Amino acid sequence: MKRNEVPQWAKWQLEHICATPEEALERLGALNGGIDELAALKGSLNDDEAILSVLKKYYAVLEELYEIYSYASFRLSEDNGNSEAQQMAQRCTNTAVRFDAACSWII
């Protein structure tokens, strides 16, 4: 069965994650600031308050990354031949790698 033959009620409702692909890309781009902030905090874990602050920031950025990554993955699963979905999924992967590298000192 082709996707255009699937009834609307049986399709993923991706607009609950992001209203449009453009919104997903904007949110993904905004993550770079959070990643840079986390990288700049390296060496700042010198008391309980600092540790808590860094972990809150870490998990906030990670949660946003997972949400956007899920959106991109679902869009790609709808049609693996969709070049826009492929590019978005690749950008998410690249951002995830950058996040992991920037935060490797945390965990």
Side-chain angles (χ1 to χ4, degrees):
M1 176 180 281
K2 295 184 179 180
R3 181 146 181 88
N4 63 357
E5 298 169 346
V6 175
Q8 187 61 33
W9 62 266
K11 295 179 183 178
W12 292 317
Q13 304 301 309
L14 298 182
E15 63 275 359
H16 294 267
I17 301 173
C18 292
T20 63
E22 293 76 23
E23 178 191 336
L25 291 173
E26 286 176 22
R27 288 172 60 187
L28 187 62
L31 280 178
N32 287 320
I35 293 170
D36 292 341
E37 287 176 31
L38 285 164
L41 292 171
K42 185 176 182 177
S44 68
L45 302 180
N46 48 18
D47 61 42
D48 291 346
E49 189 174 309
I51 293 169
L52 180 60
S53 177
V54 167
L55 288 176
K56 283 182 177 181
K57 180 69 176 175
Y58 173 85
Y59 284 109
V61 172
L62 183 61
E63 182 178 358
E64 179 73 353
L65 178 58
Y66 278 165
E67 193 166 290
I68 300 164
Y69 199 99
S70 295
Y71 176 84
S73 294
F74 289 139
R75 285 213 50 234
L76 184 59
S77 293
E78 290 175 344
D79 179 1
N80 284 322
N82 180 334
S83 63
E84 288 180 14
Q86 291 171 358
Q87 290 172 3
M88 183 184 298
Q90 185 59 52
R91 284 186 63 184
C92 285
T93 298
N94 293 345
T95 301
V97 168
R98 185 170 178 267
F99 174 79
D100 287 345
C103 299
S104 62
W105 61 274
I106 297 173
I107 298 191

